[in-house]
């Protein structure tokens, strides 16, 4: 069982602030790293899948980087907006399965 | 396309009762998954089915059984519900292509066992 840690557990920022979260995971037996966005009362939705060391993905104001050698990924949000409020989950992939972290809950106040 | 659907949305059971949570996907996906989500625990895998006709245990399978009825449907059964099984249950599916691994989640079933 992979041990996945996400920090911080929760974050409260003002609209326009930029922010970042961390996902740490064991670097052995690594296939890929997934990021999901999970809004309250909805289902998780995929944001990024990253496989290679040094991978960098971007979707609008959200970007993510991956370091497989040291076992971490960062998610960045530039100029946070209230609609970015959600829980952000990371999930490293082992064979056939994702192992989800407990998430970082982001609240963006107007 | 409805995507991944789950029924029921809400359910209250008494300890010892049984029930089946239904999940169906219309995306022709090979693999399907059942997770439970508890406060502070994140999503934990109960069972999964890599393809039609196969099922495997996940991280927390005790107290549950599954059936992959066909390619579309994957059900989760609680034979004798316990209060520890109070949780929100999510079904997910994905295509079999390893290059496209994105999992699509259903809306969840909120189960309370009293």
């Amino acid at each position: 069982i992979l041990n996945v840690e996400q920090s911080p557990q929760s974050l409260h920022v003002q609209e326009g602030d930029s922010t970042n979260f961390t996902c740490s995971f064991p670097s052995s037996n690594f296939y890929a790293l997934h990021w999901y966005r999970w809004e309250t009362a909805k289902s998780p939705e995929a944001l990024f899948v990253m496989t290679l060391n040094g991978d960098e993905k971007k979707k609008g104001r959200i970007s993510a980087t991956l370091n497989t050698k040291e076992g971490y990924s960062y998610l960045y949000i530039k100029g946070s907006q209230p609609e970015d409020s959600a829980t952000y989950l990371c999930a490293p992939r082992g064979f056939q399965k994702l192992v989800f972290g407990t998430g970082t809950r982001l609240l963006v106040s107007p | 396309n409805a995507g991944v659907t789950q029924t029921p949305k809400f359910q209250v059971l008494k300890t010892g009762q049984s029930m089946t949570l239904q999940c169906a996907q219309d995306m022709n996906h090979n693999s399907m998954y059942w997770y439970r989500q508890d406060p502070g625990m994140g999503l934990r895998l109960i069972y999964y089915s890599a393809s039609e006709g196969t099922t495997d245990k996940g991280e927390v399978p005790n107290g549950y059984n599954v059936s992959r009825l066909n390619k579309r449907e994957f059900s989760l059964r609680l034979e004798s519900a316990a209060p520890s099984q109070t949780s929100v249950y999510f079904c997910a599916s994905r295509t079999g292509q390893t290059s496209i691994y994105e999992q699509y989640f259903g809306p969840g079933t909120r189960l309370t066992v009293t």
Side-chain angles (χ1 to χ4, degrees), chain B residues 2 8 11-12 14 17 28 35 38-39 41 54 60 65 68 71 78 82 84 111:
Chain B
Q11 183 71 50
V12 179
K14 289 186 171 27
Q17 287 185 316
N28 201 36
Y35 295 91
D38 302 293
M41 300 291 287
T54 68
V60 289
N65 284 303
R68 183 73 182 268
K71 193 171 185 179
L78 287 71
S84 60
L111 175 67

Side-chain angles (χ1 to χ4, degrees), chain B residues 24-103:
Chain B
Q25 51 88 12
D26 62 2
M27 296 175 281
N28 201 36
H29 285 170
N30 289 333
S31 301
M32 297 184 74
Y33 304 81
W34 275 106
Y35 295 91
R36 58 178 289 174
Q37 191 263 325
D38 302 293
M41 300 291 287
L43 287 165
R44 291 184 293 169
L45 183 65
I46 306 171
Y47 269 94
Y48 68 102
S49 171
S51 61
E52 188 179 354
T54 68
T55 60
D56 284 287
K57 294 178 181 179
E59 185 185 350
V60 289
N62 290 347
Y64 305 96
N65 284 303
V66 290
S67 294
R68 183 73 182 268
L69 304 168
N70 48 56
K71 193 171 185 179
R72 287 188 66 245
E73 299 171 289
F74 188 38
S75 62
L76 178 73
R77 183 160 178 85
L78 287 71
E79 290 291 352
S80 179
S84 60
Q85 294 177 304
T86 293
S87 188
V88 182
Y89 292 85
F90 286 94
C91 177
S93 71
R94 71 166 183 92
T95 177
Q97 295 175 257
T98 53
S99 60
I100 307 172
Y101 200 97
E102 183 177 320
Q103 286 191 14

Side-chain angles (χ1 to χ4, degrees), chain A residues 1 34 36 38 42-44 46 89 93 96-98 100-102, chain B residues 33 35 37 40-41 43 45 48 90 94 101-103 105-107:
Chain A
I1 305 286
H34 296 243
Y36 280 79
W38 193 358
K42 294 188 178 180
S43 309
L89 300 171
R93 190 198 327 161
Q96 294 282 9
K97 294 178 280 190
L98 299 180
F100 285 88
T102 54
Chain B
Y33 304 81
Y35 295 91
Q37 191 263 325
M41 300 291 287
L43 287 165
L45 183 65
Y48 68 102
F90 286 94
R94 71 166 183 92
Y101 200 97
E102 183 177 320
Q103 286 191 14
F105 285 82

Side-chain angles (χ1 to χ4, degrees), chain A residues 8-27:
Chain A
Q9 280 191 323
S10 63
L11 199 53
H12 185 184
V13 302
Q14 297 298 309
E15 183 176 354
D17 288 348
S18 292
T19 186
N20 65 86
F21 334 128
T22 304
C23 172
S24 301
F25 53 90
S27 54

Side-chain angles (χ1 to χ4, degrees), chain A residues 47-86:
Chain A
L47 274 176
F48 304 118
V49 180
M50 294 183 287
T51 55
L52 299 176
N53 186 43
D55 247 356
E56 192 167 328
K57 300 274 186 175
K58 189 173 180 183
K59 186 182 288 188
R61 291 176 293 95
I62 304 177
S63 60
T65 60
L66 177 66
N67 183 321
T68 59
K69 292 182 180 177
E70 296 181 40
Y72 65 83
S73 176
Y74 294 137
L75 187 82
Y76 301 90
I77 303 180
K78 185 177 177 183
S80 303
Q81 299 295 308
E83 58 264 31
D84 295 327
S85 296

